[in-house]
Amino acid sequence: MFGKNPPDLTLIARARAGQGTGADYLYTYLRTYYRDEAKATGWNNLAFPNVGMPHVLWELQGERQPIYAEREEHGHTVEYFTGKWKQIKPGTMTPLQFDQAVGDLVNYLQWMGEPAQNTRLRVGVWVLLFLLCFTLIAWRLNASFWKDVK
Ligand code: HEM
């Protein structure tokens, strides 16, 4: 598609996990599309520059343009993203609704990367508690077995 292979989304949250879960990146990525007529798809992305995927959720989010500003850095003027957006065309959702919908979508992508994660964490707590109790028992048992050996 557009010269790029679409990734396997069942694993994308894990594939993009740096220090965290990958969810933060995906949440930003799906919310930072903007119009760029120089691109074949007509879209570009702040989190993934020159991305091969168009903005598939554009009807919900509408069209936005990032607001840049300039500052001096080591004697050069550099452009930076101010963190603000200009809404060019409204979407069918408000910005808050869109953020919540993307949040749900990303939670789903993360769950799909490892559906057993919640169970694993829950069972893990019991395993650690069992090991703690068993260590106490083993310690006292050992003391009692060796009690009469001088
Ligand atoms: C709601 C539906 C979709 C979601 C949640 C989604 C999500 C994603 C994500 C998370 C990535 C990976 C970004 C990365 O590697 O950092 C990606 C890449 C990509 N997606 Fe989608 N996608 C969707 C629909 C589509 C559709 C409909 C198309 C085709 C028209 C498409 C085409 C692509 C392509 C070509 C890439 C690779 C981009 C590149 O490597 O430059 N996606 N998508």
Side-chain angles (χ1 to χ4, degrees):
M1 180 62 69
F2 308 110
K4 300 274 178 59
N5 287 329
D8 173 359
L9 290 186
T10 58
L11 289 174
I12 196 70
R14 289 171 70 182
R16 288 289 172 268
Q19 296 297 315
T21 58
D24 292 348
Y25 161 76
L26 292 176
Y27 181 67
T28 303
Y29 162 69
L30 290 170
R31 288 162 54 254
T32 52
Y33 269 93
Y34 64 95
R35 265 267 171 244
D36 186 349
E37 296 305 341
K39 299 286 156 223
T41 60
W43 295 99
N44 209 329
N45 188 288
L46 275 189
F48 190 153
N50 304 323
V51 64
M53 169 175 150
H55 187 9
V56 293
L57 306 173
W58 70 277
E59 284 167 313
L60 307 179
Q61 192 185 29
E63 275 180 38
R64 301 193 310 166
Q65 206 62 43
I67 299 174
Y68 296 101
E70 287 182 348
R71 70 174 165 223
E72 288 290 319
E73 248 175 46
H74 309 294
H76 297 279
T77 309
V78 290
E79 226 185 26
Y80 70 97
F81 172 49
T82 56
K84 297 197 177 73
W85 296 83
K86 189 170 154 218
Q87 191 83 33
I88 294 171
K89 279 189 197 157
T92 54
M93 286 182 170
T94 65
L96 181 64
Q97 283 174 331
F98 183 74
D99 286 355
Q100 285 168 345
V102 171
D104 286 347
L105 180 59
V106 169
N107 273 339
Y108 177 66
L109 288 174
Q110 197 198 341
W111 171 80
M112 197 159 48
E114 196 191 345
Q117 189 182 42
N118 288 341
T119 318
R120 179 165 58 74
L121 291 176
R122 227 174 18 248
V123 171
V125 172
W126 288 109
V127 169
L128 289 179
L129 281 175
F130 169 78
L131 286 177
L132 193 72
C133 296
F134 189 74
T135 307
L136 279 174
I137 293 168
W139 173 49
R140 289 324 306 155
L141 204 59
N142 181 61
S144 129
F145 282 166
W146 289 88
K147 173 167 87 219
D148 298 330
V149 182
K150 292 278 150 27

